[in-house]
């Protein structure tokens, strides 16, 4: 259980708010791809905690970043938080991304929408260990792109937008770097159709691939069973066994 204090709340977009959280004690160890379950106060219609990916951990300033997409009453309430407010979280929870093996080759991190959130943390960790990743980020329009300057601190950033207002026009799966480069590992988070398309590409290219699933996760502990995913090992709770899975464990038509 983490009782955190809002250090800043920055509205990046009409639908997205970046919360920088801290506390007096040092934050616990957190791995890219893990998440926290956030209690929503002040919303009579919100009874369950909301799962939010760990966006970034700044050890120097003892900050946890959470990127909040306002999609319902609960997240709209979280978006109203201001500097000095308190936020109660359970976490870190789940299993995150793996670290590439030595000699793995290029690492490509692919994200769409708010799914880019955990890739910043992963990219920072890779860079810290001497691996410069490539980021492939997709959005509907240029104004929907999130934290591109932050991503650029840790790797090379490539962009697609559906309307062509930034980067290449189209979806991430259509970006030219997928034909120009070869990768040893692809890690992805975002809308399920996007991840399935990336998984199919990786499978047919013989590239190791991990995806971070975004199933509904109410408890975060594997008790409520609402996030169950069918896998090669049977039905598994995404919150406990994931949210990151190697695509070989998933029953996706690749």
């Amino acid at each position: 259980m983490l009782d955190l204090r809002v250090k800043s709340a920055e509205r990046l977009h009409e639908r997205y708010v970046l919360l920088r959280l801290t506390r007096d004690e040092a934050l616990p160890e957190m791995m890219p791809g893990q998440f926290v379950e956030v209690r929503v106060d002040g919303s009579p219609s919100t009874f369950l905690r909301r799962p939010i990916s760990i966006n970034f951990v700044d050890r120097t300033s003892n900050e946890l970043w959470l990127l909040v997409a306002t999609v319902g009453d609960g997240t709209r309430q979280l978006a109203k938080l201001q500097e000095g407010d308190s936020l109660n979280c359970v976490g870190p929870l789940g299993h995150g991304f793996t670290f590439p093996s030595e000699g793995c080759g290029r690492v490509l991190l692919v994200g769409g929408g708010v799914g880019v959130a955990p890739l910043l943390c992963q990219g920072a960790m890779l860079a810290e260990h001497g691996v410069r990743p490539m980021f492939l980020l997709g959005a509907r329009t240029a104004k929907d792109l999130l934290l591109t300057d932050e991503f650029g601190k840790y790797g090379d950033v490539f962009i697609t937008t559906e309307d062509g207002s930034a980067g290449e026009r189209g979806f991430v799966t259509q970006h030219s770097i997928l034909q120009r480069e070869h990768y040893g590992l692809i890690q992805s988070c975002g809308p399920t159709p996007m991840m399935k398309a990336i998984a199919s590409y990786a499978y047919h290219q013989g590239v190791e691939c991990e995806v971070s699933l975004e199933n509904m996760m109410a408890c975060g502990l594997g008790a409520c069973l609402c996030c169950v995913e069918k896998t090669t090992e049977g039905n598994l709770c995404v919150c406990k066994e994931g949210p990151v899975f190697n695509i070989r464990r998933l029953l996706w038509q690749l």
Side-chain angles (χ1 to χ4, degrees):
M1 190 81 69
L2 303 173
D3 287 311
L4 303 174
R5 181 176 69 257
V6 178
K7 194 170 181 179
S8 70
E10 178 184 0
R11 186 165 286 277
L12 304 177
H13 178 280
E14 60 186 12
R15 291 178 48 239
Y16 300 105
V17 173
L18 177 63
L19 299 177
R20 291 182 172 90
L21 308 166
T22 190
R23 67 175 186 173
D24 294 335
E25 304 86 1
L27 292 169
E29 185 70 21
M30 299 182 185
M31 301 303 294
Q34 290 186 304
F35 66 99
V36 293
E37 287 276 357
V38 179
R39 189 178 71 202
V40 180
D41 297 324
S43 175
S45 63
T46 306
F47 303 102
L48 300 173
R49 289 176 179 264
R50 291 294 183 262
I52 300 181
S53 296
I54 293 168
N55 179 213
F56 188 71
V57 180
D58 189 330
R59 291 292 171 191
T60 303
S61 56
N62 199 41
E63 289 180 7
L64 165 63
W65 296 10
L66 299 181
L67 184 58
V68 179
T70 55
V71 294
D73 290 340
T75 48
R76 280 195 291 268
Q77 193 66 31
L78 292 176
K80 296 178 182 178
L81 290 169
Q82 299 179 358
E83 180 181 348
D85 287 344
S86 298
L87 190 65
N88 180 270
C89 302
V90 174
L93 300 170
H95 294 278
F97 294 107
T98 60
F99 196 80
S101 58
E102 187 174 353
C104 153
R106 286 185 179 271
V107 178
L108 178 66
L109 306 181
V110 185
V114 75
V116 303
L119 303 182
L120 180 61
C121 190
Q122 175 67 349
M125 177 166 283
L126 290 170
E128 184 180 339
H129 289 82
V131 177
R132 185 174 178 84
M134 299 174 70
F135 297 102
L136 177 53
L137 310 177
R140 292 180 180 176
T141 70
K143 71 175 185 177
D144 296 313
L145 291 165
L146 301 169
L147 300 172
T148 52
D149 289 344
E150 292 294 332
F151 284 104
K153 294 177 181 178
Y154 307 107
D156 301 313
V157 179
F158 300 87
I159 288 170
T160 65
T161 51
E162 293 178 27
D163 66 353
S165 54
E168 295 188 11
R169 186 187 186 98
F171 302 112
V172 290
T173 49
Q174 299 169 320
H175 199 286
S176 59
I177 63 166
L178 294 179
Q179 281 69 52
R180 296 199 313 260
E181 303 284 349
H182 180 73
Y183 308 98
L185 174 64
I186 297 176
Q187 296 172 319
S188 181
C189 184
T192 299
M194 183 208 80
M195 290 194 293
K196 285 187 174 181
I198 288 294
S200 178
Y201 165 84
Y203 178 80
H204 288 99
Q205 293 292 320
V207 178
E208 283 294 304
C209 182
E210 293 180 331
V211 294
S212 180
L213 302 187
E214 296 185 319
N215 297 32
M216 177 71 71
M217 294 183 284
C219 72
L221 303 172
C224 69
L225 304 180
C226 72
C227 66
V228 165
E229 179 79 14
K230 293 181 179 180
T231 75
T232 57
E233 303 155 45
N235 292 337
L236 297 178
C237 289
V238 169
C239 67
K240 189 175 180 182
E241 302 296 331
V244 177
F245 288 86
N246 189 294
I247 60 171
R248 290 176 296 180
R249 300 176 67 191
L250 301 174
L251 300 182
W252 289 0
Q253 292 182 347
L254 302 174

